[in-house]
């Protein structure tokens, strides 16, 4: 009994690491995005013949490591179909942030952002950095980051590059992981269910163990308040019969009124 409760609690805690509960009380399960081989998304915009940039990432495991660090994603150079070891980290695991693809329409899907923490100059626009220098303006640095936009829809096998710059990469996919499901523990329903299961387990498990040890009882007799649980099936049966009798009585009375000019029964 206690082993089962431990297993349920452990599974709940483990699954929770891959869940996000938004401000509206909906749950998103990003474990659905798990890919045992990791995702490799070629960036054809910056390809150089036999060289190609690859974004490799995983969401719920520590399978992606770069330069000895657990990361959500890294940008690597692929040469002749092989990813080099000298990778450029794009997001550490501890910097995970959730949001919406479109805050105005949150039901469209979610976004997950990872920031490395290192600062860099963003030179996405041609001549942008040169213009800043030319205008003698103060150069602003920003942390390198990668954002995954998961739009609710039919599962796609791979991510695509939406936008990329030196500091920020945006990758997108249409996937069921971005669709709302159920209500979150923050809303109380799942947490309440978990507490009920745990309370029931403690009640029956502890009571049975106590009765067996203290009174040498076994079987149904070992249940806490065994007399109640022995009579419980009969109480349920009586309750169902009582409800049926009451319902049929109301229907019969209603039919009698309808025959006297009341509402017609269809």
């Amino acid at each position: 009994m206690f082993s089962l409760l431990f297993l349920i609690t452990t599974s709940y805690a483990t699954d929770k690491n891959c869940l996000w509960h938004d401000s509206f009380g909906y749950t998103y399960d990003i474990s659905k995005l798990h890919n045992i081989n990791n995702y490799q998304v070629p960036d054809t915009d910056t390809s150089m013949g036999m060289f190609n940039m690859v974004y490799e990432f995983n969401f719920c495991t520590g399978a992606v490591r770069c330069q000895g660090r657990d990361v959500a994603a890294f940008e690597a150079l692929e040469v002749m179909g092989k990813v080099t070891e000298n990778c450029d980290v794009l997001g550490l695991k501890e910097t995970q942030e959730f949001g919406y693809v479109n805050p105005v329409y949150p039901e469209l899907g979610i976004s997950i952002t990872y920031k490395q923490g290192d600062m860099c100059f963003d030179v996405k626009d041609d001549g942008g950095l040169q213009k800043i220098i030319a205008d003698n303006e103060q150069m602003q640095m920003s942390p390198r980051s990668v954002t995954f936009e998961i739009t609710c829809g039919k599962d796609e096998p791979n991510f695509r590059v939406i936008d990329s710059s030196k500091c920020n990469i945006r990758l997108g996919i249409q996937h069921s992981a971005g669709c709302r499901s159920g209500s979150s523990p923050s809303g109380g329903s799942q947490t309440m269910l978990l507490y009920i299961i745990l309370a029931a387990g403690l009640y029956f498990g502890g009571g049975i163990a106590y009765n067996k040890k203290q009174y040498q009882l076994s079987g149904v007799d070992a249940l806490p308040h065994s007399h109640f649980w022995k009579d419980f099936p009969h109480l349920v049966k009586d309750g169902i019969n009582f409800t049926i009798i009451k319902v049929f009585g109301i229907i019969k009375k209603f039919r009698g009124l309808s025959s006297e000019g009341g509402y017609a029964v269809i």
Side-chain angles (χ1 to χ4, degrees):
M1 175 64 74
F2 292 107
S3 298
L4 179 60
L5 287 173
F6 177 76
L7 180 62
I8 292 173
T9 306
T10 305
S11 300
Y12 179 83
T14 302
D15 293 339
K16 199 172 182 180
N17 292 331
C18 284
L19 298 178
W20 179 56
H21 313 291
D22 70 6
S23 56
F24 297 93
Y26 290 96
T27 300
Y28 298 87
D29 183 4
I30 61 174
S31 66
K32 294 178 182 178
L33 290 170
H34 179 68
N35 185 337
I36 192 170
N37 297 315
N38 301 325
Y39 292 96
Q40 294 188 4
V41 185
D43 183 357
T44 55
D45 294 334
T46 57
S47 61
M48 301 169 287
M50 67 177 182
F51 302 100
N52 191 48
M53 298 308 297
V54 173
Y55 305 106
E56 188 170 337
F57 44 90
N58 207 311
F59 294 93
C60 291
T61 70
V64 179
R65 291 180 62 83
C66 180
Q67 299 171 354
R69 292 186 288 181
D70 289 331
V71 297
F74 67 78
E75 179 184 37
L77 185 66
E78 184 181 52
V79 183
M80 301 293 288
K82 183 178 180 180
V83 179
T84 62
E85 294 180 359
N86 185 21
C87 52
D88 193 0
V89 181
L90 281 179
L92 299 178
K93 281 287 188 178
E94 58 266 25
T95 63
Q96 186 180 55
E97 297 176 1
F98 287 95
Y100 306 107
V101 172
N102 187 336
V104 179
Y105 303 102
E107 66 276 4
L108 293 180
I110 63 173
S111 66
I112 307 173
T113 299
Y114 297 90
K115 295 180 180 178
Q116 178 185 353
D118 297 344
M119 306 299 284
C120 69
F121 293 110
D122 200 330
V123 290
K124 174 187 174 183
D125 297 326
D126 294 337
L129 183 57
Q130 287 75 12
K131 182 178 184 300
I132 292 175
I133 296 174
D135 293 344
N136 292 320
E137 296 178 5
Q138 183 179 2
M139 291 181 291
Q140 297 293 324
M141 300 183 72
S142 61
R144 286 175 57 76
S145 67
V146 56
T147 298
F148 303 97
E149 297 186 355
I150 301 99
T151 306
C152 177
K154 186 178 180 180
D155 292 357
E156 290 181 341
N158 292 301
F159 279 80
R160 58 189 175 277
V161 179
I162 299 176
D163 191 17
S164 63
S165 64
K166 184 177 180 181
C167 294
N168 306 105
I169 309 296
R170 287 173 59 220
L171 301 168
I173 194 172
Q174 181 177 285
H175 202 281
S176 59
C179 301
R180 292 176 167 183
S181 63
S183 59
S184 74
S186 59
S189 59
Q190 292 184 18
T191 300
M192 183 60 69
L193 178 61
L194 179 64
Y195 286 151
I196 291 174
I197 293 173
L198 291 175
L202 291 173
Y203 169 73
F204 285 105
I208 290 172
Y210 179 81
N211 288 337
K212 282 184 176 181
K213 182 177 180 180
Q214 188 71 18
Y215 302 108
Q216 289 75 47
L217 298 175
S218 61
V220 180
D221 293 330
L223 286 171
H225 302 93
S226 59
H227 295 295
F228 171 78
W229 295 112
K230 287 179 180 179
D231 295 336
F232 185 72
H234 301 290
L235 293 174
V236 173
K237 182 180 178 181
D238 292 341
I240 293 173
N241 291 335
F242 177 79
T243 303
I244 292 174
I245 292 171
K246 279 292 185 181
V247 169
F248 275 100
I250 293 172
I251 292 174
K252 184 176 180 181
K253 184 177 179 180
F254 187 71
R255 286 180 178 275
L257 291 173
S258 66
S259 64
E260 298 176 3
Y263 293 101
V265 180
I266 299 175

